[in-house]
Structure formats: C-alpha cells, structure tokens
Amino acid sequence: MTGRRHRRDAAPTPGGEGRFEGYDVMAQSPFWDPVTAAVVRGRMAQERALAFFTSEEADICRALLDLVLANHGAPRVPVLEMVDQRLFEGQTDGWRYEDMPEDGEAWRRTLRFLDQDAREAFGSGFASCTGDQQARIVQGVQDSDAWHGLPGRHVWSLWTRYACAAFYAHPWTWNEIGFGGPAYPRGYKVLHPGWREPWEVAERGAADPLPWSHRVEKARRAHELRLGGRA
Amino acid sequence: MRRTDERAIRARNESAWLVPTGQERTNWALRGRMRRYDPGEEVDVAVVGCGAGGGTLTQRLARAGFRVVAFDAGPWWDPDRDWVSDEAGSHKLYWTEPRVISGKDPVALGSNNSGRGVGGSMVHFAGYVPRFHPSDFQTLTRDGVGADWPISYEDLKPYYEHIEEELPAAGEPWPWGDPHDYPHSAHPLGPNGEIFRRGARALGLRTAVGPVAIPNGRFGHRNHCIYRGFCLQGCKVNAKASPLITHVPDAVAHGAEIRPDSMVTQVVVERGRATGVRYVHAGREHFQRARVVAVAGYSIETPRLLLLSATPEFPDGLCNDFDQVGRYVMVQGAPQTAGRFSEEVRMYKAPPPEVSCEEFYETDPSKDYRRGFAIQTVSPLPITYSEHVTAQGHWGEVLREYMRDYVHWAVLGSLCEFLPRAENRVTLAEETDARGMPVANFSYSQGENDTKLEQAAQSVMEDILRAAGAEEVITIKRYAHLVGGCRMAADERSGVVDRNLRTFAVPNLYVTDGSVLPTQGSANPALTIMALAARCADHLKATARSGVVGEPASAR
Ligand SMILES: Cc1cc2nc3c(=O)[nH]c(=O)nc-3n(C[C@H](O)[C@H](O)[C@H](O)COP(=O)(O)OP(=O)(O)OC[C@H]3O[C@@H](n4cnc5c(N)ncnc54)[C@H](O)[C@@H]3O)c2cc1C
Ligand code: SF4
C-alpha cells in the first residue's frame, strides 16, 4: 500500500502519499526558533526562476529527478528548482571524484548524454519519452561500468545525492514519512520506541497497518513493471 | 561516576563559565574585549585552524601567558544566528571548497568529514569521546600491523582525564581498554539506544551508554541537552561540546586573538626557521610574524598547506624531505546497518551518539584479521538516511517506500580500524581553488585486512539488530574520521613530527591536529586529538621555561 490520498490543504505530502494522516510539520513552525523557521519557510517558496539550467536542460533534468524520486502526482516538490538553485550557488558537497568533472559541468554533460541515449533508442528526446522508456535508460546508467566515458556509479551518486538532498529537505516529505522536523527550542520528551510526543501523529490504522514486506514487494513490482518486466 | 573538583577545572579552563546564561549563546562582551595583535608584531605562537587540535592548543598556551593568534578559514560562529535545526540548512558548516578524491575506494569529504570555522569539525561531530586503548599505541609490536606510536597510553592518560572533565564527558563506567569512569553520569536512552541495548543483551554483549561530550547536569553556564537529535548540525543549545564553547572562551579571556575568516596560504620558512604565516582575509593578503607556528587544519588541509609552502630550501614542500607529508592518511571503515522494526522507533529523537560496544576492539587470535571494530548508535536524519536507501540501489517507488517507512528503522554504525598505508595520501591536484592554489587530491584504497574487518563488523551489527527483533536489515558501506597525513614517529624517515608534535625539519614548526596520528584504533578521534594538543602545550611551556633556542621569549 503506497497510501491513500491526503486532504492536500491540511497536510500536504508529495503526490498525496503517506500514512501519517493529518500530520503537518509546518503546524509546528511557531515552536521553532526564528532562524530555522525562516530557512524552512524560504525553501517552500516555490516560485523560483531557473538560474543554472537552460530550458532544454531543465526539461531533461526535471524528467530525470521526478523519475528517480517517483515525484509524480500533485502536489509535486519543486526538486528541479531546488537543484538548479544549489548548482547556481555552487553549493557542492566539497569533493568530486577524480574521474568526474566539477558538479555543475557533470550535470550538464550527463543530461546531454541522457538525451542522446533517448534519441538513439527511442527516436525522441529524454523529456518526451514515456516514463517506462526513461526508466530503462536510467536503469542502464545505474547498471553500467562506463557510460559515455564516465563511471556509471559516480554518475548515479551525483544524481541521487542532489535529488535526495533536495527532496528530503522539503517539509512535505517530512509529513509523508512522519519526521518531526526542526526541534529547537522545544526538543523531545518522549524517548521510548513506540511512544510519541503529543503533537506527533500515529500511522493510519494500527501502528503498522500492512506488513512491511507486502508494501515493499508491491513497490518493487511497480518498479520492475516500469523497466519492462526486468527481474 | 568520577569525582571531579569544579575549582580545579576552573583553574585549568573556565570556558563553561564564560558562555552566557539567559537568552544568548554567545558572550559578545568577551568577544568585544578580545586582545588584538598587529600582524607586524611578532607573536609567540600562530595557530592555523581553530578546531579540536588548534582550539585546545590555543587555550592552553594563552592561559600560560603566551601571546597567541589562532587563525581559522571559516567564521566565528554564533549558534543563535548562524546555525539551524535543519539538515540541508547546515551545509555551511562543512568544508566545501573544491577537493578531488581518487584511488580504488574514494572517500567522500565535506559533510561526512570536515568542518570549517571556529570549533572545527567538532561543531558538527556526533559527540562520541572514547579514549584509545593502550594497545593502539603499539599495534606493530603487538599485532604486527600498523605502527607503534613514539608515546604510550600512559603519556596521554592525564590529558584524557583533564579533557574529559572540560568537555565534559557523560557515560557509564567504561569496561574496555583502560577501564575508567566519566565525570558525568549517562544520559537517558533514546529509542535507537534502547534497541541497540535490547539486541546486545539478547546476544550477551556488553554495551555502555556514552561516552558523549554532552554534560548531564550542571556544568558552568552550559544548557542541558534537549534531546532534539541535531548534534551533527551544530548544537544550538550549547549542550554538545566543541572548542567554540569548551576552549575558545577561556583562550580569549587569557589574551588569545581569534582571527576568523582568515585562510592561511603559506607557512613562511626562512633559513630553516618558521617566521610566520601568510593569510588572506577579505580578499587581501597579510603576513603575521610569529616565533612558533602550529598547523592544525585537519588531515587534508594540513598536508596541503605544508606542500603549498615549498621554498627553494624545501622544494618538495615543508618537512617533506623524506616524502612523508600527506602519507598514511587513514579513515575508519564505518558501515552502518539499519534494521526494520514493526513498532515505531523514531530514531531522530535524542542525540545520535548514545550507546557503544567495544567488545570487538582488540585483535582476536581466532580470526583471520588483525585489530578490530567498535559499534555505536547512529541516528541519521532523513537526507542522510536516504543515502542509506539509495546505496541499496533503490530508486523511484522503492526508494519512496523505504523512506515512507523511516520511523520504523533503527541504525547502528561501526568504526573499523583500517590500517595505515603509505599510498593512501594527500597530494596537490592540477585543479586550483579561487585563490589560484592547487587543491588537495586524496587518494584512498582499502587493504585486505580492512575488508575482512568491515565484513565482520557488518555481520555483528546485523546479528544485534535481528536479536532486537528486526525483520529486515540493510547496510551501507562508508567511511568516517580522517586522520594521519603528518604522522608522529621516532625519526624523520618514518614521519613528520616527533613525540612532542614538533616537525623534524623545522624546529619551531608544530603540527597539532588529527594529522599526527600514526594509527587510528576503533575509537572516534576528537578526544585523542585534544589530549595530544594539550600535551604539546605542556611541552611548549616546558621548553619556553628552559629557554630552548627558538622558543617563545615572552613566556620565558
Ligand atoms: C559528521 C561527523 C561526525 C563526527 N563525529 C565524531 C565523534 O562522534 N567523535 C569524534 O571524536 N570525532 C568525530 N568526528 C571527527 C572529529 O570532528 C575530527 O576528527 C576532529 O574535529 C579533527 O580535529 P582537527 O583538529 O584535526 O581538525 P578540525 O577540528 O577540523 O579543525 C580544523 C580547522 O582548521 C581550519 N583550517 C583548515 N585549513 C586552514 C587554513 N589553511 N587556514 C586557516 N584555517 C584553516 C578549518 O576551518 C577548521 O576549523 C566527526 C566528524 C564528522 C564530520
Ligand atoms: S541532541 Fe542535545 S547535544 Fe545534540 S544537538 Fe540537540 S541539544 Fe545539542
């Protein structure tokens, strides 16, 4: 079970997924220190013009990021805009692999390669391929040792690091996963497994509504279906 | 619990009483009163880097009457304004200037390894402060691997005790290595810690709560921990220790100058002696004269600075006549294993450092590897945890499903003693930074013993989590705690500094940070780095008293 739709206005989660019904971490923001609250609220200001990517790169990148994060339904976390901003500011992780270019250049190049692969395999640009076609190309990169002269796993590391760092910085994803978010100056008082703070929300139904193994199996099957029945 | 004497601690280091009470975390009046030295004035000691090693050295020397200027490339933090209770917003705490990583097993730097700004990497360190074991100082003699230190555990023990009191360290009585108590009692357990204990108990493994550099009870004006779980993002509360609050306030009160936002670009050596440091502040270059220079910029920047400081006299870099600078850089193998529990865990509550197990620390003759590993709780926040999930190869719907299950997972980490290897080293890359200086290239490859240790650690963590009731376990292989690169040795052919951290090549140049470690044990390194710096300060004080050539005249 990947979750029922939430009432979006009350407690948004990406694509309306998640099991912590009604849990809205932003409702706690009055209890955060002003500096943290400003940083998190700023992150939620969605209207950002692209500063790093060209519009062509942006289309490819959005398709890639949304695919890697299964960021499909509304409301959609503006991951592309967040990654674009980060690259524009040159906010790297403080290192690069010797066999990869600097992050900004690596992004541009790998997006170009994705587009190239898509044209060769499916006759159209990456952004206009179907989700299944895109998934097959992307899985190919993860599986490859060398991809257009770059090590596949280092490309993969670049993409997933930037994608996840943006996505899981967004309060809607905290709503989805039940994370408490900033906790200063209030802190936590209830520290036992299985117990919650008064403002934390239980998962819908029982503590663990559907066995984990079923849920993850279902997600795996959906993923494999996308890849064309790949085992 | 160890009995401590508050008066004795204050007589050594009053920092905890110099942080403010009330609504602010920074003592602005103290900063405003700070003594300032003219760059043209020859100070006694210029310290490069104000982290674990540099911050401690600065405090000890200032208190002894030395005139000290401590430089840091990063800012002098104010926890209230500069730090946030948020993962992504803490990016500025890390050293993110360009660096290149290479080798068979390249090691990620930045957030995972090094900090920038007054307090150094301890600003965002987890907070574990275990001692090294006596065996760590003699691994070559005892186990035929690694290297022997030119000092013994006994040489460091008094400094361990002092620093533990000043941080202060909280934890249960420690049964491993040299058994000892802690000045503060153990903190209550969070959910991740309870699960670790439950699993270890089921397997008959001893664990101990702590040791963490977070006071439990009254300590000066430091606030009590609020168990909010953001230790790796900088403690806004002033509960978790870092030199910013444990040593710098006392240093400033005793006449040290902290010069933040000042990147040292060269240690200047003329006719075989250090004469000071060149540094860049606000885009302009300056030169600070000093009688003694101590470099404490972390295991990447310290070797880089020595290599960048080449002169006709030292064409291959300072102190590098025997090709030792930048070699034997080590990282601990730090695989983390997550276990899935049907109950909610919510591991983000309480400090990530909670419980330790050092049952596997020493060499076990029945195994086909030497040395060992430690196991500790780690409690990654969502972004860091997502790396754990993507490391399994998951993406798309599967990644999301694992992440949606975040509250059900508990995570343990281990620290494996990977052995020093000469070829694991920092060199200068062709790429240059914004100032036109070559950046560091850190090349790293694991050895065979290392890989075996890592496997063993992973299977123990899996066993513990399963014994605690986990239905699924997943592991990410990673590294932690870079040390070495200018190691301490018996002579100049096998290291860069001597037993007192003085470089073999330049008599008034010292290295006082994690770079000097010849081996790394399976303990987190910060306490040992601080203890070594405090010991070096005693050496400098003694040589100053005896008037040894080239030592600070003003402190004589
Ligand atoms: C995420 C994380 C968790 C950790 N957890 C633990 C833990 O639980 N326990 C533990 O013991 N250790 C931990 N560590 C490691 C520990 O923080 C470091 O080993 C320790 O701080 C290193 O001390 P140091 O003196 O060598 O360098 P640092 O403390 O990093 O200090 C170096 C300082 O030098 C400055 N600098 C560098 N170059 C220059 C220059 N050229 N000019 C001016 N200034 C310069 C830097 O800005 C920095 O402030 C952790 C580290 C990280 C990253
Ligand atoms: S958990 Fe405690 S020590 Fe850690 S950051 Fe929060 S208040 Fe500070």
Side-chain angles (χ1 to χ4, degrees):
Chain A
M1 173 165 88
T2 52
R4 261 180 279 145
R5 305 277 136 179
H6 278 166
R7 277 206 15 251
R8 226 184 272 168
D9 46 335
T13 64
E17 304 280 353
R19 288 183 292 275
F20 299 90
E21 195 150 23
Y23 174 56
D24 187 8
V25 73
M26 290 310 287
Q28 296 302 313
S29 63
F31 303 103
W32 304 342
D33 68 282
V35 185
T36 302
V39 165
V40 178
R41 288 204 186 97
R43 193 173 295 152
M44 296 186 73
Q46 280 200 42
E47 302 309 321
R48 261 178 260 160
L50 292 179
F52 179 81
F53 290 122
T54 65
S55 67
E56 201 191 355
E57 288 166 344
D59 288 341
I60 307 169
C61 193
R62 182 182 288 112
L64 169 67
L65 292 167
D66 288 350
L67 183 74
V68 166
L69 296 165
N71 184 29
H72 301 305
R76 216 161 61 156
V77 174
V79 186
L80 170 73
E81 287 74 6
M82 295 166 82
V83 169
D84 178 89
Q85 186 67 28
R86 187 173 159 191
L87 287 167
F88 176 69
E89 288 167 6
Q91 210 193 77
T92 69
D93 283 330
W95 53 272
R96 70 168 168 85
Y97 292 107
E98 191 176 41
D99 48 19
M100 291 282 287
E102 274 299 332
D103 289 5
E105 173 58 24
W107 270 101
R108 288 196 205 282
R109 249 192 245 177
T110 55
L111 294 175
R112 220 167 39 234
F113 296 152
L114 272 180
D115 216 40
Q116 214 171 304
D117 282 10
R119 283 177 208 286
E120 274 166 29
F122 304 110
S124 68
F126 185 79
S128 41
C129 283
T130 66
D132 294 2
Q133 291 169 337
Q134 290 171 343
R136 253 171 279 167
I137 296 171
V138 164
Q139 184 65 54
V141 180
Q142 191 190 31
D143 293 341
S144 71
D145 285 332
W147 182 64
H148 295 276
L150 298 174
R153 64 178 195 289
H154 293 173
V155 173
W156 192 255
S157 151
L158 178 84
W159 289 348
T160 51
R161 269 184 288 131
Y162 275 76
C164 288
F167 193 66
Y168 288 105
H170 200 284
W172 295 348
T173 63
W174 303 343
N175 291 347
E176 180 190 12
I177 70 178
F179 171 56
Y184 178 74
R186 179 190 46 203
Y188 290 107
K189 295 189 178 62
V190 185
L191 301 177
H192 298 291
W195 295 24
R196 279 179 295 274
E197 307 287 321
W199 52 271
E200 286 177 317
V201 170
E203 278 178 303
R204 194 173 41 236
D208 201 3
L210 195 80
W212 161 243
S213 52
H214 293 201
R215 283 206 302 271
V216 78
E217 203 35 54
K218 197 171 162 206
R220 281 208 180 97
R221 272 203 306 278
H223 185 73
E224 277 155 18
L225 216 59
R226 240 184 209 297
L227 299 172
R230 188 175 164 278
Chain B
M1 204 165 95
R2 192 194 311 165
R3 282 246 296 278
T4 53
D5 175 355
E6 181 175 310
R7 272 203 326 241
I9 297 173
R10 289 184 74 160
R12 200 161 66 237
N13 175 359
E14 207 154 19
S15 291
W17 289 264
L18 292 168
V19 297
T21 53
Q23 289 313 302
E24 288 190 324
R25 251 55 52 184
T26 298
N27 186 339
W28 295 108
L30 178 66
R31 285 196 195 179
R33 276 203 308 276
M34 180 175 73
R35 182 163 173 193
R36 283 165 211 279
Y37 298 90
D38 189 79
E41 180 182 353
E42 188 180 58
V43 296
D44 293 326
V45 186
V47 180
V48 182
C50 205
T56 306
L57 182 76
T58 300
Q59 184 268 333
R60 289 301 201 259
L61 292 180
R63 206 168 239 271
F66 286 64
R67 295 169 310 140
V68 189
V69 177
F71 295 84
D72 204 285
W76 195 351
W77 302 113
D78 169 24
D80 292 323
R81 283 182 226 169
D82 297 334
W83 298 348
V84 289
S85 191
D86 176 69
E87 236 184 328
S90 302
H91 202 264
K92 58 177 180 267
L93 300 181
Y94 318 132
W95 189 283
T96 53
E97 289 192 25
R99 285 167 171 173
V100 178
I101 60 173
S102 58
K104 185 164 67 64
D105 306 293
V107 173
L109 301 171
S111 68
N112 189 44
N113 271 304
S114 61
R116 184 174 161 277
V118 177
S121 303
M122 283 180 74
V123 163
H124 63 105
F125 90 143
Y128 279 113
V129 284
R131 298 181 189 178
F132 278 27
H133 287 199
S135 66
D136 285 320
F137 297 74
Q138 278 191 310
T139 62
L140 187 60
T141 302
R142 286 170 175 243
D143 297 314
V145 294
D148 288 349
W149 296 39
I151 59 171
S152 70
Y153 174 82
E154 292 303 323
D155 290 321
L156 218 48
K157 182 172 176 170
Y159 299 95
Y160 275 147
E161 288 172 346
H162 279 175
I163 302 286
E164 281 168 356
E165 289 169 5
E166 292 163 47
L167 291 171
E172 291 180 332
W174 199 248
W176 302 286
D178 175 29
H180 56 274
D181 293 346
Y182 284 103
H184 283 219
S185 61
H187 285 272
L189 280 188
N192 207 15
E194 278 201 24
I195 289 199
F196 183 12
R197 282 226 130 159
R198 194 204 291 167
R201 218 178 289 126
L203 296 180
L205 292 174
R206 279 184 303 183
T207 54
V209 180
V212 295
I214 307 170
N216 185 17
R218 224 168 53 84
F219 188 68
H221 304 159
R222 298 259 297 277
N223 291 320
H224 202 281
C225 173
I226 58 171
Y227 305 110
R228 69 190 185 112
F230 280 88
C231 298
L232 279 77
Q233 283 67 37
C235 181
K236 278 183 84 72
V237 177
N238 271 359
K240 189 196 73 176
S242 88
L244 178 72
I245 53 171
T246 61
H247 288 80
V248 165
D250 190 70
V252 171
H254 287 84
E257 178 185 343
I258 307 298
R259 218 170 276 171
D261 305 305
S262 301
M263 170 87 176
V264 173
T265 54
Q266 190 189 2
V267 176
V268 179
V269 172
E270 292 167 66
R271 288 187 296 282
R273 302 184 54 78
T275 56
V277 297
R278 227 180 279 289
Y279 67 99
V280 178
H281 175 77
R284 287 197 36 215
E285 193 178 275
H286 307 265
F287 177 66
Q288 174 68 56
R289 294 175 61 215
R291 285 166 183 272
V292 170
V293 174
V295 182
Y298 194 79
S299 286
I300 304 280
E301 290 308 310
T302 291
R304 177 182 178 223
L305 181 60
L306 295 182
L307 294 174
L308 286 173
S309 300
T311 65
E313 198 182 346
F314 293 100
D316 302 321
L318 285 185
C319 313
N320 199 25
D321 290 353
F322 297 94
D323 192 21
Q324 289 290 314
V325 171
R327 288 200 183 273
Y328 302 102
V329 177
M330 293 164 275
V331 280
Q332 287 166 334
Q336 297 186 350
T337 301
R340 206 272 169 186
F341 294 83
S342 58
E343 70 208 292
E344 286 187 5
V345 179
R346 297 190 185 252
M347 63 178 160
Y348 53 84
K349 299 178 184 191
E354 292 196 279
V355 180
S356 315
C357 170
E358 292 191 350
E359 296 282 271
F360 306 93
Y361 195 107
E362 302 286 345
T363 296
D364 176 348
S366 72
K367 297 284 184 337
D368 64 343
Y369 53 80
R370 301 294 157 90
R371 306 303 297 161
F373 53 89
I375 299 175
Q376 303 172 331
T377 47
V378 289
S379 305
L381 295 178
I383 294 175
T384 317
Y385 186 63
S386 72
E387 283 175 34
H388 202 130
V389 175
T390 56
Q392 316 306 311
H394 299 323
W395 59 276
E397 243 341 294
V398 186
L399 162 66
R400 287 285 294 284
E401 193 56 55
Y402 270 89
M403 288 304 293
R404 225 169 266 144
D405 205 47
Y406 176 67
V407 300
H408 287 281
W409 293 76
V411 183
L412 302 181
S414 57
L415 298 177
C416 307
E417 178 176 355
F418 284 5
L419 298 171
R421 293 154 66 92
E423 61 271 33
N424 287 338
R425 66 186 302 203
V426 170
T427 53
L428 298 178
E430 271 169 31
E431 181 180 337
T432 52
D433 66 11
R435 298 171 207 89
M437 303 195 309
V439 307
N441 182 331
F442 173 38
S443 171
Y444 188 79
S445 305
Q446 259 177 245
E448 209 183 310
N449 197 73
D450 304 341
T451 306
K452 287 180 184 161
L453 265 180
E454 193 178 38
Q455 279 307 327
Q458 176 175 338
S459 60
V460 171
M461 290 192 292
E462 290 171 354
D463 290 348
I464 293 172
L465 287 166
R466 290 205 190 276
E471 60 189 283
E472 182 186 338
V473 292
I474 55 175
T475 295
I476 176 175
K477 292 208 163 97
R478 44 185 295 291
Y479 301 103
H481 306 146
L482 238 118
V483 293
C486 290
R487 70 177 181 175
M488 194 191 319
D491 61 67
E492 72 265 30
R493 289 174 188 275
S494 41
V496 176
V497 299
D498 69 10
R499 64 196 315 272
N500 294 317
L501 311 191
R502 186 206 295 248
T503 62
F504 290 112
V506 181
N508 62 337
L509 176 61
Y510 288 75
V511 177
T512 61
D513 63 3
S515 327
V516 302
L517 268 58
T519 61
Q520 58 181 347
S522 305
N524 321 59
L527 176 77
T528 298
I529 296 169
M530 296 178 106
L532 283 167
R535 183 173 178 276
C536 174
D538 276 355
H539 152 81
L540 278 166
K541 286 185 248 171
T543 48
R545 267 195 305 277
S546 67
V548 175
V549 189
E551 301 311 334
S554 68
R556 242 173 246 164

